[in-house]
Amino acid sequence: MNDLAIRVENLGKQYTIGTSPERYQTLRDSVANTITAPVRGFRRRFIKKEALSSAGGRGKKDSIWALRHVSFDIHKGKVIGVIGRNGAGKSTLLKILSRVTEPTEGLAEIHGRVGSLLEVGTGFHPELTGRENIYLNGAILGMKRTEIEKKFDEIVAFSEVEKFIDTPVKRYSSGMYLRLAFAVAAHLEPEILVVDEVLAVGDAEFQRKCLGKMSNVAQEGRTVLFVSHNMSAILRLTEETMVLEKGEVVMRAPSRTAVEQYLSSGYAQIGERLWTRDEIPGTAFPFYPVAVRIRDPHGRVVDTVRSVDPFTIEIEYHLESPITGLRVGIYLMTTRGEFVFTSFDTDAPDQYDEYRIRAAGKYTSRCHIPVDYLNEGSYVVGINASTYQIKRYFQDEQVLNFTVDPSGAPGMQWAEPRLGPMRPRLDWQIENTKEGAKTEATPARIDFDQNK
Amino acid sequence: MSQTTIPPNTAEEVIYLRPSHGWSALNLRDLWRYRELIYFLIWRDIKVRYKQTALGAAWAIIQPFFTMIVFTIFFGRLAGVPSEGVPYPIFSYTALLPWGLFTKALSDAGRAMISNRAMITKVYFPRLVIPIASVLSGLVDFSIAFIVLIGMIFYYNNVPGEYDPITVTPAILTLPLFILLALVTALGVGLWLSALNVKYRDINYIMPFLTQFWLFITPVAYPASMVPEEWRWLYALNPMTGVVEGFRWALLGTSSSPDPMLAISTAISILLLISGLFYFRRMERTFADMV
């Protein structure tokens, strides 16, 4: 018997560029476009047909393959992670599998009812109450009315908004809104669940709750395809992970291996990551990242820093219009997927006050990492630009990689690797507690310098 | 594989996703499966429509009622347009009911794909659900406005005047058919417009013009009998002619009973619906990428 849940064969999706930048056109362009639109429409249709008939072959100049030559099988009951950088084709893959859009070539075969969560709260109407939105959103996600009725209390309890269930959701805080939205989505019970980055919402506690719910879903024997930038969520929830790169599956391996490979396959070996405008999603407006760099104490851009030297992570960006409460920050992660820290440029109260409203213009935010801070190994820098509980303008959890060289760090007299991402130089006191043999507190480093 | 939790393979549904070309089947089975979504979308439209308006559902009455007053003054009184033996206000209001249903359905359906963009790009459901729901949700406004017509008929029947009282005839039983014809026409045109609007936003500008133009070629303010006999067949190509004349016949007993003209109107209306359905299905596959 066939126990396949999803079979994908040579799947590809081509997008025509030039449809998206239309919002930047001038009035004159729009007039010209309006007049020529029908003509172009017809021409495009015919040209497309031609291009397709030549065996889906040569790409046109103004089109890109968001996904190409993707083939894989997923067996029933498996929980598979999908990781990859922004624009690697993850969302396109999910959109095809959840039938939102059609592939341009290839075939996908899906055995069973698919539920897709590409976004939480799809179709929520601000004027409707929480109760009404549960029904509406449930129906949009493909739930039957009786099914929603049966789970209604459970959904409300999960969302923790009981008191406001008859209040229009436009009066909800963004946290409440997201909780309610996720609660509905979490109670969807399809045979195959396709989930995009929906766990990256809400506060930390609610995220934990969502992750818990997700792992329950996984244990119930349903097939799950789970896209995330959150490596620890991937590691926790999935057994196997596919890595997408430039629209192709470059690896499929047990999650731990895949994550490690993915994080250490640095794109920017030169310690710098640059963005061009068309790489940045439209949702980032008005925040546009320009570059992220690692600089050594001499100001050189490097990809390896010494543990005993300070270094700087700088984020260069452009604000097209002022943002209130903007915070630009970094995540630091090991290539094994453990977070080391998260830090924002307005963490300090006085900075926070000074940049309450950040005017439009060019900025560079620099984060100084002190000496004796990181252990040897590879690290990943991610960036986040957001306004707390309002909007996340831009986030990329794998912007660039760098390596920490441990020479001169504490404990180097022993060649063994040290556990943990940090390698601080801490003060130790060694006290001989035998009567009368009290030693003065001596900084440990003196001993090491003598290299006994 | 345990047979208790997972249904046997014979019952299992397999979906094949592959590029489609040319015309596709309507897939009405899928549409039927999502009938509850149609219900919920209509319900949402109705719930939300008059939120935060001072007059609320009264708007459903105000629009046709004031149009009727304007028509009565300018066409009925000043221009002296004949009204086939019933008071002109009733004559025009009876036509404004299906007309309002039609134009509202048309403009809602035309805009529906754009206003539901968030859903279209994030969730799968048969896209036909959206224009169907927006056409059907007009029925509520229609029903409210219909009550006013009943009131008007009572009023005119009890005021002594030059007109014979209006009585209910068995013809009223055909009214649902004319409502259906109005809906079918609106859905047919609405499907074309909504599918085109995804690609060409020009439709937004065409719609007001289209409905205005259409009003003149429909016997709302004047009786169809004013149109010269030799041009009637051309006039009947407009399905709304059949609807409006049918309404007057069913409710007021005016106009002639349905004749070959109605057959032409119905045929055109069904043609619009079927072509609209197929065109919509054909364009559907690009909606999520283009909307």
Side-chain angles (χ1 to χ4, degrees):
Chain A
M1 268 253 172
N2 183 5
D3 69 338
L4 276 185
I6 302 176
R7 190 171 75 86
V8 167
E9 220 179 86
N10 200 26
L11 206 64
K13 174 79 188 178
Q14 190 180 36
Y15 281 106
T16 312
I17 346 176
T19 42
S20 57
E22 257 166 42
R23 62 201 132 112
Y24 297 117
Q25 72 191 357
T26 62
L27 181 65
R28 198 191 54 192
D29 288 341
S30 8
V31 172
N33 266 336
T34 311
I35 295 166
T36 59
V39 181
R40 267 186 296 119
F42 279 116
R43 261 179 44 204
R44 195 180 303 156
R45 212 167 296 156
F46 287 119
I47 290 169
K48 198 181 218 169
K49 247 180 208 157
E50 250 167 50
L52 286 170
S53 60
S54 61
R58 64 204 157 86
K60 284 177 293 157
K61 241 188 280 167
D62 60 344
S63 61
I64 49 156
W65 286 92
L67 208 64
R68 193 100 204 250
H69 306 311
V70 169
S71 303
F72 57 85
D73 289 339
I74 294 177
H75 288 267
K76 288 201 171 116
K78 286 268 188 265
V79 181
I80 306 284
V82 180
I83 56 180
R85 304 175 51 81
N86 289 340
K90 306 181 300 279
S91 300
T92 306
L93 177 64
L94 293 203
K95 275 191 176 176
I96 293 174
L97 294 180
S98 55
R99 301 171 74 189
V100 167
T101 186
E102 261 190 5
T104 314
E105 61 178 33
L107 169 75
E109 204 178 291
I110 295 182
H111 300 256
R113 189 178 151 200
V114 186
S116 65
L117 281 183
L118 303 191
E119 178 190 71
V120 292
T122 307
F124 260 43
H125 198 290
E127 297 283 353
L128 296 178
T129 66
R131 180 188 304 277
E132 291 162 344
N133 270 310
I134 290 178
Y135 279 95
L136 180 65
N137 187 229
I140 290 170
L141 292 174
M143 285 158 98
K144 294 255 169 293
R145 188 142 79 135
T146 47
E147 211 175 319
I148 306 170
E149 261 155 22
K150 215 166 61 199
K151 289 184 192 148
F152 187 84
D153 293 335
E154 218 180 305
I155 293 174
V156 175
F158 189 87
S159 70
E160 302 166 14
V161 296
E162 289 97 335
K163 265 198 253 170
F164 306 97
I165 200 65
D166 289 311
T167 308
V169 297
K170 67 177 176 184
R171 311 227 183 280
Y172 280 28
S173 72
S174 55
M176 286 159 64
Y177 184 96
L178 288 170
R179 284 208 299 273
L180 183 66
F182 188 86
V184 183
H187 289 80
L188 197 63
E189 286 187 344
E191 287 143 23
I192 301 171
L193 187 61
V194 171
V195 190
D196 204 350
E197 194 77 72
V198 288
L199 299 174
V201 300
D203 51 36
E205 198 196 331
F206 190 70
Q207 275 190 23
R208 250 197 305 281
K209 198 166 161 185
C210 295
L211 278 173
K213 181 80 190 170
M214 285 293 302
S215 52
N216 286 348
V217 169
Q219 279 155 22
E220 282 163 17
R222 255 174 274 159
T223 314
V224 183
L225 203 60
F226 178 57
V227 163
S228 184
H229 281 114
N230 184 339
M231 294 302 142
S232 42
I234 290 274
L235 289 173
R236 189 171 149 191
L237 295 175
T238 68
E239 305 138 37
E240 234 187 311
T241 294
M242 290 193 284
V243 182
L244 284 185
E245 195 182 305
K246 294 187 183 123
E248 294 180 35
V249 178
V250 291
M251 180 167 54
R252 178 171 173 176
S255 294
R256 187 153 292 282
T257 320
V259 166
E260 197 159 328
Q261 276 276 332
Y262 167 67
L263 289 180
S264 54
S265 70
Y267 270 75
Q269 292 302 335
I270 48 156
E272 182 178 48
R273 159 85 161 115
L274 300 168
W275 281 269
T276 55
R277 274 289 163 107
D278 49 289
E279 289 176 79
I280 303 164
T283 51
F285 178 86
F287 177 92
Y288 291 100
V290 176
V292 172
R293 299 183 189 90
I294 311 276
R295 286 190 194 271
D296 72 3
H298 309 288
R300 289 178 303 221
V301 176
V302 291
D303 71 333
T304 302
V305 293
R306 294 186 62 194
S307 179
V308 293
D309 282 338
F311 66 97
T312 305
I313 301 172
E314 64 174 41
I315 310 165
E316 198 184 319
Y317 52 96
H318 195 97
L319 295 189
E320 298 262 291
S321 61
I323 300 179
T324 306
L326 177 72
R327 48 182 200 178
V328 177
I330 55 172
Y331 307 105
L332 196 68
M333 204 182 359
T334 68
T335 52
R336 284 181 302 277
E338 318 152 291
F339 279 101
V340 181
F341 67 75
T342 305
S343 181
F344 286 103
D345 60 354
T346 48
D347 282 349
D350 49 332
Q351 300 265 50
Y352 175 74
D353 289 335
E354 190 180 342
Y355 288 101
R356 193 169 284 277
I357 298 171
R358 211 173 294 197
K362 288 196 79 155
Y363 291 88
T364 304
S365 293
R366 292 191 182 85
C367 175
H368 301 287
I369 311 287
V371 295
D372 295 330
Y373 191 75
L374 292 173
N375 197 359
E376 71 182 293
S378 306
Y379 293 83
V380 184
V381 179
I383 66 166
N384 173 309
S386 55
T387 299
Y388 177 63
Q389 285 204 337
I390 304 289
K391 187 175 158 118
R392 193 175 64 201
Y393 298 96
F394 185 83
Q395 170 163 303
D396 187 341
E397 293 193 18
Q398 196 210 357
V399 167
L400 55 80
N401 291 35
F402 65 92
T403 310
V404 174
D405 178 275
S407 49
M412 282 305 287
Q413 64 275 35
W414 301 295
E416 70 199 349
R418 293 215 156 173
L419 295 177
M422 302 188 72
R423 194 147 188 165
R425 194 178 297 275
L426 302 174
D427 257 352
W428 280 89
Q429 286 187 337
I430 303 173
E431 190 179 344
N432 187 332
T433 45
K434 248 190 223 160
E435 207 85 36
K438 207 166 188 178
T439 320
E440 268 305 298
T442 316
R445 100 174 63 100
I446 295 171
D447 289 341
F448 298 143
D449 284 350
Q450 287 161 359
N451 225 357
K452 285 175 185 160
Chain B
M1 184 163 80
S2 89
Q3 292 287 316
T4 47
T5 52
I6 301 165
N9 257 14
T10 45
E12 184 187 80
E13 184 190 359
V14 182
I15 305 165
Y16 296 94
L17 310 172
R18 53 160 71 92
S20 54
H21 304 291
W23 304 103
S24 7
L26 293 182
N27 201 357
L28 296 178
R29 209 182 69 168
D30 213 19
L31 193 62
W32 176 247
R33 186 176 300 173
Y34 275 85
R35 63 193 182 278
E36 281 190 352
L37 182 57
I38 299 183
Y39 164 79
F40 275 113
L41 289 179
I42 295 173
W43 173 80
R44 176 192 70 178
D45 274 5
I46 292 163
K47 278 248 169 193
V48 168
R49 190 173 300 157
Y50 298 115
K51 282 251 165 100
Q52 277 203 5
T53 57
L55 297 178
W59 280 111
I61 299 167
I62 291 169
Q63 283 173 11
F65 196 77
F66 279 85
T67 314
M68 177 270 288
I69 288 173
V70 170
F71 278 12
T72 305
I73 294 169
F74 289 94
F75 293 104
R77 291 285 153 82
L78 296 181
V81 171
S83 58
E84 303 188 318
V86 293
Y88 187 87
I90 290 188
F91 172 81
S92 62
Y93 192 81
T94 307
L96 282 165
L97 286 181
W99 180 253
L101 176 65
F102 174 71
T103 51
K104 181 163 181 350
L106 202 63
S107 65
D108 281 4
R111 268 191 293 270
M113 303 308 286
I114 311 293
S115 51
N116 288 297
R117 173 198 320 221
M119 277 168 62
I120 292 169
T121 55
K122 297 293 182 192
V123 188
Y124 169 79
F125 53 87
R127 307 310 188 199
L128 277 170
V129 160
I130 288 181
I132 290 175
S134 49
V135 166
L136 291 181
S137 72
L139 279 174
V140 178
D141 281 14
F142 172 81
S143 313
I144 297 171
F146 195 87
I147 296 168
V148 174
L149 176 68
I150 298 171
M152 282 169 65
I153 290 175
F154 267 109
Y155 172 79
Y156 277 100
N157 279 355
N158 291 316
V159 216
E162 49 192 308
Y163 300 105
D164 296 331
I166 295 155
T167 52
V168 174
T169 63
I172 199 168
L173 295 175
T174 62
L175 191 68
L177 294 177
F178 292 110
I179 296 174
L180 185 68
L181 187 61
L183 291 175
V184 165
T185 312
L187 184 60
V189 182
L191 285 170
W192 275 98
L193 293 181
S194 61
L196 284 167
N197 203 6
V198 171
K199 200 164 178 182
Y200 308 111
R201 298 293 151 88
D202 312 24
I203 298 300
N204 282 331
Y205 303 98
I206 292 173
M207 264 183 317
F209 167 73
L210 181 73
T211 47
Q212 204 175 27
F213 173 75
W214 207 316
L215 176 64
F216 289 114
I217 60 164
T218 305
V220 175
Y222 56 90
S225 53
M226 278 179 84
V227 175
E229 194 75 49
E230 65 265 36
W231 294 107
R232 287 283 176 80
W233 63 272
L234 188 66
Y235 194 60
L237 289 180
N238 167 14
M240 285 311 287
T241 302
V243 172
V244 165
E245 288 292 287
F247 256 68
R248 288 204 181 115
W249 174 72
L251 288 170
L252 310 177
T254 63
S255 311
S256 45
S257 59
D259 54 7
M261 255 174 73
L262 181 65
I264 298 176
S265 287
T266 310
I268 293 286
S269 164
I270 290 171
L271 193 70
L272 275 171
L273 177 67
I274 292 175
S275 64
L277 282 170
F278 278 99
Y279 180 72
F280 188 91
R281 282 283 296 162
R282 189 191 169 119
M283 298 310 287
E284 188 181 79
R285 66 184 76 118
T286 61
F287 284 170
D289 302 336
M290 300 214 340
V291 70

